């Protein structure tokens, strides 16, 4: 824990425990997203499965980086990142979609839904910390930017898989 980290956040009027709890929930989301994309990439089948798998593998790596950044900030603020996987589902906001149907298009659909949930999570966090905690704000902006890019990447892939123009398939 950084004594000053906690002090600055508290002085800015933030409830540090509430902030840690939101960061921890996002941390759990990231681990679930990591595994959802990682395993999705392994089992993907069907049209353009290879392209979808490559994108999902790349995204999985980025979700793990998000978890890394969140863990660092949680510890800095005096908290403990979820130390056991059984907490991931319990404390996550976005949950987990098991790729029971390995069809690449189904995976894309599920994962787009997860990205949209993540975007909402980080937008909420951003509103909580903006103009109060510049360090967390910076971190959340960085992650939000990635999640918006993820959503768009998957939407574009969905369009390619469907073989239609953008207008008709980005839903
Ligand atoms: Fe993420
Ligand atoms: Fe993402
Ligand atoms: Mg990408």
């Amino acid at each position: 824990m950084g004594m000053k980290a906690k002090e600055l956040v508290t002085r800015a009027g933030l409830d540090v425990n509430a902030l840690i709890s939101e960061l921890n929930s996002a941390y759990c989301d990231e681990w679930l997203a990591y595994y959802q994309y990682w395993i999705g990439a392994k089992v993907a089948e069907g049209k353009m499965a290879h392209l979808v798998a490559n994108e999902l593998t790349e995204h999985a790596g980025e979700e793990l980086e998000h978890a890394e950044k969140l863990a660092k900030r949680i510890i800095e603020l005096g908290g403990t990142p979820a130390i056991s996987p059984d907490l991931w589902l319990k404390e996550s906001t976005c949950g987990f979609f098991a790729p029971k149907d390995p069809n690449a298009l189904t995976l894309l659909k599920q994962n787009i839904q997860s990205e949209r949930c993540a975007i909402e999570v980080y937008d909420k966090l951003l509103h909580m910390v903006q103009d109060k905690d510049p360090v967390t704000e910076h971190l959340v902006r960085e992650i939000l930017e990635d999640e918006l890019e993820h959503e768009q990447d998957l939407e574009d892939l969905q369009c390619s898989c469907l073989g239609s123009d953008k207008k008709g398939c980005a839903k």
Side-chain angles (χ1 to χ4, degrees):
M1 182 188 92
M3 200 177 73
K4 276 290 186 187
K6 200 170 177 173
E7 189 187 308
L8 287 183
V9 162
T10 309
R11 200 200 292 159
L14 276 170
D15 177 342
V16 73
N17 291 326
L19 176 59
I20 288 168
S21 151
E22 291 298 323
L23 292 172
N24 234 329
S25 172
Y27 173 79
C28 293
D29 283 330
E30 293 294 352
W31 271 104
L32 293 174
Y34 165 71
Y35 189 63
Q36 185 175 313
Y37 303 159
W38 186 90
I39 192 67
K42 304 287 177 223
V43 301
E45 281 175 12
K47 203 177 168 190
M48 297 177 72
H50 187 65
L51 270 180
V52 172
N54 283 347
E55 193 67 41
L56 292 184
T57 302
E58 189 186 297
H59 288 193
E62 286 165 5
E63 310 305 3
L64 201 53
E65 281 172 26
H66 297 164
E68 190 100 38
K69 289 179 177 179
L70 289 162
K72 179 175 174 270
R73 187 60 180 151
I74 290 167
I75 290 167
E76 211 164 59
L77 290 169
T80 309
I83 47 160
S84 171
D86 60 303
L87 295 170
W88 294 347
L89 269 178
K90 230 184 275 171
E91 299 189 0
S92 118
T93 305
C94 299
F96 184 80
F97 293 110
K100 286 176 192 149
D101 174 1
N103 181 281
L105 254 178
T106 310
L107 296 181
L108 283 175
K109 233 180 254 170
Q110 288 176 329
N111 296 353
I112 287 169
Q113 214 174 315
S114 301
E115 292 299 344
R116 288 179 181 158
C117 181
I119 289 164
E120 291 296 335
V121 162
Y122 290 108
D123 185 59
K124 186 180 162 208
L125 250 166
L126 183 60
H127 283 96
M128 184 178 188
V129 298
Q130 71 184 352
D131 302 321
K132 288 181 183 152
D133 173 0
V135 176
T136 306
E137 184 178 342
H138 175 72
L139 163 95
V140 169
R141 281 181 191 277
E142 275 182 343
I143 300 180
L144 181 58
E145 210 178 304
D146 286 349
E147 307 302 9
L148 289 165
E149 190 186 302
H150 288 172
E151 188 210 19
Q152 195 187 342
D153 287 348
L154 298 183
E155 280 179 355
D156 289 348
L157 266 174
Q158 192 181 40
C159 276
S160 311
C161 285
L162 291 168
S164 46
D165 64 297
K166 276 195 164 196
K167 206 170 47 176
C169 49
K171 282 195 195 98

